[in-house]
Amino acid sequence: MRRSVRLILSRLLYPALFALFLLFPTLSCLNRNPSNGIHRRTQFLLGTVVEITVVSREPVIADTAISSAFERIREIEAEMSARLSGNQVDTVSKHAGEGPVRVSGELLGLIKACHRYSALTHGAFDITIAPVTRLWDFDSPTNRIPSSEEVRTALSLVGFEMIHLNCDEGTISLDRPGMGLDLGGAAKGYAVDEAVKKLNESGITAGIVNAGGDLRAFGMKPDGSSWHIGIQDPRHRDRIIGSILLDNMALVTSGDYERYIVHEGVRYHHIIDPKTGWPARGCMSVSVASPWALDADILSTALFVLGPKEGMELLERLPGIDGMIVDAHGRVSVSSGWKKRLRLHDGASP
Ligand code: AMP
Ligand code: MG
């Protein structure tokens, strides 16, 4: 199989299929048949398959609500993707080292949230990682492993303390030329939250917004039960490692199987340790559940970088947030709030 075809399969189709599988057994009965009250549509956005499921007795209301939620996600992608030129994120990066750039209150708010998590995680989560992620360029089929020298040079332009926000003026500045913003670790979660908001505004009280496995479930299924969500086994694409009932919660997983290349037996993936500039080595996957998809998205990436021990310690300190870490040896650890609720499958044991 040609490499580009393999890449499309591994990055787009398999995650899409898995996104469907994730919602087992719920989705086995899902269709657009109004009699069961569940309506579902998918679109390719944010570099992944986004699936919106809503519960409604009114097909027209459901359809209109889903369309407005997709539209909202498209808006967010247009403004926040580091891959698109001319948008706000690109403009801030292009003017790095040249002083303040005016941005929307929305982008400023998101960057502020990211900044708070950078401080909380001592820089494990850092949206100024862009010079390094550009080098790795996991979104391109021609990606390659950079040299140590390239990584070192790019890393000198990474550091969240070199971002300056002025909320009164609505500006952001990056200290040094060559710096840049990469919101890839947070934008999907933010978009999921905003899509849920749109659905709620349209009168939808139950459903799931799932951006390639970054999801938030709200309300109940038509039979009054909670949404049952599976978590992918990081080494077996078609298996789940555990499952959980979600009530008005987001669940986001960061994994070393999402975007990666293998070279001489070593897996190089897309979650970078800002201390080294190389892929973080402590985990295979980290799943985080929190009321907001934004927090779950940021934390899943951050905990992955922190590694199983420090990651779990942080998880235990955060009220209302739970999760599971699969370390680099495949060992599973589960936060105390999840111990009774998470069902581990196939012999996976904490
Ligand atoms: P996720 O799939 O949510 O874990 O996010 C991974 C994406 O976040 C990568 O594709 C990069 O765009 C970005 N990223 C990688 N490493 C970091 C990091 N240490 N801090 C913040 N964002 C990162
Ligand atoms: Mg993330």
Side-chain angles (χ1 to χ4, degrees):
M1 215 183 320
R2 280 183 36 224
R3 182 157 188 253
S4 56
V5 175
R6 273 205 319 272
L7 277 163
I8 289 168
L9 280 174
S10 69
R11 288 180 185 169
L12 307 184
L13 188 58
Y14 292 152
L17 292 175
F18 192 75
L20 292 177
F21 185 62
L22 267 176
L23 300 178
F24 95 104
T26 316
L27 285 188
S28 57
C29 62
L30 278 191
N31 51 46
R32 298 187 65 191
N33 172 6
S35 63
N36 69 10
I38 289 185
H39 309 260
R40 172 169 53 89
R41 269 166 47 198
T42 57
Q43 279 191 20
F44 187 77
L45 289 164
L46 298 163
T48 190
V49 175
V50 180
E51 179 184 76
I52 300 183
T53 304
V54 304
V55 178
S56 172
R57 301 221 162 278
E58 306 286 341
V60 177
I61 291 179
D63 219 46
T64 311
I66 293 174
S67 297
S68 70
F70 275 132
E71 189 47 41
R72 182 73 185 109
I73 297 174
R74 201 169 300 112
E75 263 172 37
I76 292 169
E77 178 179 35
E79 279 314 324
M80 299 190 183
S81 168
R83 288 192 298 272
L84 303 174
S85 66
N87 65 10
Q88 292 192 73
V89 167
D90 180 55
T91 306
V92 171
S93 302
K94 281 208 174 105
H95 291 280
E98 295 172 10
V101 176
R102 191 174 287 279
V103 296
S104 67
E106 176 173 42
L107 181 61
L108 205 61
L110 180 60
I111 293 174
K112 237 165 100 179
C114 292
H115 212 263
R116 271 201 307 275
Y117 276 107
S118 295
L120 180 75
T121 61
H122 307 292
F125 185 83
D126 192 331
I127 55 170
T128 66
I129 197 72
V132 180
T133 49
R134 270 185 222 133
L135 270 185
W136 287 94
D137 200 9
F138 280 100
D139 290 320
S140 156
T142 56
N143 58 7
R144 64 181 182 91
I145 297 164
S147 70
S148 305
E149 187 51 39
E150 286 175 305
V151 170
R152 227 184 346 263
T153 308
L155 205 53
S156 67
L157 297 167
V158 174
F160 69 96
E161 57 301 317
M162 293 192 281
I163 305 182
H164 301 285
L165 304 175
N166 185 330
C167 296
D168 298 330
E169 302 284 329
T171 61
I172 164 166
S173 54
L174 304 179
D175 270 355
R176 300 174 54 187
M179 285 181 69
L181 296 180
D182 178 345
L183 294 173
K188 268 197 268 177
Y190 178 69
V192 166
D193 285 333
E194 287 296 301
V196 170
K197 198 155 126 196
K198 273 283 170 210
L199 294 175
N200 291 159
E201 284 166 7
S202 309
I204 302 295
T205 54
I208 298 182
V209 176
N210 182 354
D214 291 18
L215 61 87
R216 188 168 138 201
F218 59 105
M220 298 288 168
K221 289 196 293 184
D223 64 5
S225 63
S226 304
W227 302 97
H228 193 194
I229 310 290
I231 298 172
Q232 182 174 344
D233 182 321
R235 286 296 173 269
H236 299 97
R237 214 173 257 292
D238 51 349
R239 274 197 227 153
I240 56 166
I241 194 165
S243 60
I244 186 126
L245 288 171
L246 277 194
D247 280 329
N248 296 313
M249 289 289 269
L251 174 61
V252 176
T253 298
S254 287
D256 68 359
Y257 52 85
E258 291 172 35
R259 285 167 189 195
Y260 68 93
I261 41 178
V262 176
H263 179 68
E264 294 176 351
V266 179
R267 179 185 292 251
Y268 297 90
H269 60 83
H270 70 313
I271 303 170
I272 305 294
D273 184 343
K275 288 202 170 70
T276 65
W278 294 88
R281 287 284 165 227
C283 304
M284 288 181 187
S285 77
V286 175
S287 304
V288 174
S290 94
W292 300 96
L294 173 62
D295 302 83
D297 193 3
I298 294 177
L299 281 167
S300 63
T301 310
L303 267 49
F304 194 107
V305 173
L306 288 172
K309 184 168 176 294
E310 231 184 300
M312 190 51 74
E313 280 165 12
L314 176 58
L315 202 49
E316 293 288 18
R317 288 207 309 273
L318 298 172
I321 300 185
D322 276 292
M324 176 183 94
I325 298 179
V326 182
D327 77 10
H329 306 285
R331 288 182 299 240
V332 177
S333 56
V334 178
S335 71
S336 37
W338 257 21
K339 288 238 158 78
K340 289 210 173 79
R341 295 182 45 220
L342 179 74
R343 218 182 106 214
L344 286 166
H345 294 225
D346 287 345
S349 57

